[in-house]
Amino acid sequence: MDDLTAVAARLRALPPSCGPVRLIAVDGHAGSGKSTFAARLAAALGGAPVLRLDDVASHEELFAWVPRLTAQVIEPFTRGATARYTPYDWTLRRFTAPRALPAAPVVLVEGVGAGRRALRPYLAGLFWMERGAEESWERGRRRDGEAQSAFWDGWTVAETRHFTTDPSRPFSDALVREGQEGYVMSPMPHATARQDQTITHRDHLRPPY
């Protein structure tokens, strides 16, 4: 489907999951197409805010960013307040001036690890970009060029370690595949989720994406 209007309508109908916010995660391997899908879904939602996890992570904390995200985004959202997070500049290698993120009815969070265990209790929905690791990484390497080759070598090791210990795919609500004319979505059977899945609002309303 190229038109995500129906998907957007179903997301709006979900119960809030983080204060008044319906927090929707878009996860998958680096280079799998998360940013593009999230941008299109945000547009279908009428300009929903998008939090990129690239802005939350850093060279020193590729995946150890949960405390910062919790303090700067999750905690304010639970109170219905506007979040203020400090985006990381990957060129300057430092965090920059705070940026506002409103507690809108639907907020998208996209990036590797968006559906991790620590965040799932606050999610109203979780999409997984269904593209294999090797293919995704190759796309990412082509996008970033030779100058980022060393970074990618380290990243693939870190990402593999992360998903081995804290997988997101088994807990996703829908698998998203890029097709010739947009996206194809396959709902994930509830039975595929592991027994240690945290129960949240979204477990009681699983929309047919």
Side-chain angles (χ1 to χ4, degrees):
M1 64 179 71
D2 191 44
D3 184 1
L4 296 174
T5 303
V7 177
R10 293 187 183 107
L11 295 181
R12 291 192 194 95
L14 292 172
S17 58
C18 187
V21 176
R22 294 154 185 83
L23 196 61
I24 308 297
V26 179
D27 204 340
H29 298 290
S32 60
K34 299 180 299 300
S35 297
T36 300
F37 174 72
R40 293 181 179 177
L41 183 56
L45 286 160
V50 179
L51 174 65
R52 300 174 66 252
L53 290 180
D54 282 352
D55 288 338
V56 180
S58 69
H59 284 91
E60 290 72 30
E61 297 174 317
L62 294 178
F63 288 99
W65 39 257
V66 170
R68 181 164 47 254
L69 179 65
T70 300
Q72 296 184 355
V73 177
I74 299 298
E75 197 279 330
F77 277 0
T78 62
R79 296 184 284 105
T82 294
R84 294 190 179 277
Y85 66 101
T86 52
Y88 184 71
D89 189 311
W90 289 85
T91 301
L92 298 177
R93 301 179 74 98
R94 63 177 175 83
F95 291 96
T96 57
R99 182 180 299 170
L101 184 70
V106 180
V107 175
L108 306 181
V109 53
E110 69 89 5
V112 180
R116 66 192 302 172
R117 185 182 302 112
L119 299 187
R120 285 197 293 271
Y122 305 100
L123 298 180
L126 169 57
F127 292 103
W128 175 266
M129 301 303 295
E130 187 72 340
R131 191 187 298 273
E134 295 295 337
E135 181 186 355
S136 297
W137 295 339
E138 180 59 31
R139 293 174 83 233
R141 286 179 182 272
R142 288 198 305 268
R143 177 194 64 202
D144 294 346
E146 186 63 29
Q148 296 297 322
S149 179
F151 174 81
W152 271 96
D153 290 344
W155 170 267
T156 56
V157 174
E159 183 186 298
T160 300
R161 184 183 301 119
H162 168 72
F163 281 135
T164 297
T165 60
D166 194 352
S168 298
R169 186 182 185 277
F171 303 97
S172 61
D173 297 300
L175 306 180
V176 183
R177 297 176 177 85
E178 287 187 55
Q180 295 258 338
E181 300 180 359
Y183 295 98
V184 177
M185 295 192 187
S186 303
M188 286 284 281
H190 183 60
T192 64
R194 295 187 178 184
Q195 292 182 354
D196 65 351
Q197 181 176 9
T198 302
I199 302 300
T200 66
H201 290 290
R202 69 188 180 90
D203 294 305
H204 304 293
L205 179 62
R206 305 181 68 84
Y209 297 114

